[in-house]
Amino acid sequence: MRRKLVCGNWKMNGSLVSNAVLLAGIKAGLSQSSCDVAVCVPAVYLAQCQSALTGSGLSWGAQDVSAHASGAYTGEISVSMLQDFSCEYVILGHSERRAYHGESDALVALKMQRVIQSGLTPVVCVGESLAERESGQTEAVVSAQMDVLLAAIDAADLAKMVIAYEPVWAIGTGKTATPEMAQDVHAILRAKLGQKNGELAQAVRILYGGSMKPDNARELLAMPDIDGGLIGGAALNSADFLAIVHFA
Ligand code: PEP
C-alpha cells in the first residue's frame, strides 16, 4: 500500500510574514492527517520552515537543487545545504525550470542521482505540452522523459523517487486533466517503472499536478495509480491545501 503524499509547491511566492500565517494554518489543521504532507518553498525560507515545522509532522523541501556538490557555481544551492536545513524533498525538473531555465532531461537525471545519493527524496516532474497532447504524443513524451531518468537510477533505488505527472497545459491554468486522463498516464508511468523492477514499481509514488484544487482532488486522488498531488496555487491557501490533504 502506497502512502499518499500531498506536496505544496509555493513557487516564487511568500514573505516571512505571509509564510508564518500559512504554515501556522496548515499545522493547525494537520493533526488528523494520515498521509505525508510537505511544502517545497523558496530556498531563502527553508530556515523559517525548519524552525516553524520541526516536530509538526509536516515536511519541507526545495524546488530545485544543483547537480554539483560544491564549488564555483554562483547562485546555485547544493544538496548538503538543503540537508543543513533538514529538507526531506526536492522538486526536480518542474516544467517551469525546463521552460525558463533550459533544464534538459539529462540535467534533471543528474540532479536526481545526487539527491538520491544524499538520502533526500526527489519529486521528479514529467509531462507533456498542450501541442504534444493534441497531436497524440503524450505517451511518447512522458516515456522518453522516464527513459532518461530510469537509465540514471539503480533498480534497487527505484522506490526512493517520487514522480509527479504534471501536464504542462494544466499547470496554473485552471484546466485539470480528468481523473481518467491522469490515471491513463499514471498507469503508463508505472508500467515504465515496472520495466526496471516490477515489484519496486508498485512502491513508487506517482503524484498528479496541474490545477488540483479542493473541488477536483477527491476524484483524482481516488484513481488507483494517483498517489497524491503536487499542488501549486492551492498550496498558498491553508484551507484549500488542507482540504486536498483531507481527500488524500
Ligand atoms: C505546479 O506548479 O507544480 C502546479 C501543479 O501548479 P498548479 O497547482 O497551480 O497548477
Side-chain angles (χ1 to χ4, degrees), residues 65-150:
V65 74
S66 175
H68 302 283
S70 65
Y73 301 101
T74 302
E76 294 283 281
I77 291 172
S78 70
V79 165
S80 66
M81 293 172 186
L82 299 185
Q83 289 177 305
D84 273 346
F85 294 93
S86 307
C87 287
E88 210 171 307
Y89 296 96
V90 189
I91 298 171
L92 295 178
H94 191 281
S95 61
E96 288 153 13
R97 302 253 4 131
R98 293 176 187 259
Y100 307 144
H101 301 271
E103 292 202 9
S104 64
D105 291 330
L107 178 63
V108 175
L110 271 179
K111 291 181 177 191
M112 179 191 70
Q113 283 177 325
R114 190 166 289 286
V115 169
I116 287 177
Q117 277 162 16
S118 73
L120 273 71
T121 299
V123 178
V124 192
C125 303
V126 298
E128 81 288 1
S129 68
L130 185 59
E132 289 163 343
R133 173 160 285 269
E134 288 180 344
S135 58
Q137 294 179 73
T138 299
E139 178 164 359
V141 169
V142 297
S143 296
Q145 291 172 326
M146 289 295 290
D147 283 339
V148 180
L149 297 173
L150 293 174

Side-chain angles (χ1 to χ4, degrees), residues 26 30 47 53 57 70 118 208 218 236:
I26 298 171
L30 206 61
L53 301 181
S70 65
S118 73
Y208 169 78
R218 184 200 293 267
L236 299 175

Side-chain angles (χ1 to χ4, degrees), residues 131-186:
E132 289 163 343
R133 173 160 285 269
E134 288 180 344
S135 58
Q137 294 179 73
T138 299
E139 178 164 359
V141 169
V142 297
S143 296
Q145 291 172 326
M146 289 295 290
D147 283 339
V148 180
L149 297 173
L150 293 174
I153 191 170
D154 289 337
D157 287 338
L158 213 55
K160 296 180 182 169
M161 74 196 300
V162 172
I163 303 286
Y165 168 54
E166 295 213 316
V168 178
W169 49 270
I171 296 176
T173 58
K175 293 183 192 152
T176 319
T178 64
E180 294 72 24
M181 279 159 80
Q183 166 60 29
D184 285 351
V185 180
H186 282 231

Side-chain angles (χ1 to χ4, degrees), residues 9 11 94 96 166 170-173 209-213 230-233:
N9 172 15
K11 311 194 187 199
H94 191 281
E96 288 153 13
E166 295 213 316
I171 296 176
T173 58
S211 299
M212 192 187 271
K213 306 263 186 279
L230 183 57
I231 318 295

Side-chain angles (χ1 to χ4, degrees), residues 6-7 9 11 166 169-177 179 208-222 226 228-248:
V6 175
C7 182
N9 172 15
K11 311 194 187 199
E166 295 213 316
W169 49 270
I171 296 176
T173 58
K175 293 183 192 152
T176 319
Y208 169 78
S211 299
M212 192 187 271
K213 306 263 186 279
D215 62 2
N216 58 30
R218 184 200 293 267
E219 288 183 319
L220 285 160
L221 292 166
I226 299 185
L230 183 57
I231 318 295
L236 299 175
N237 175 295
S238 59
D240 286 352
F241 189 63
L242 286 165
I244 296 170
V245 169
H246 170 75
F247 291 131

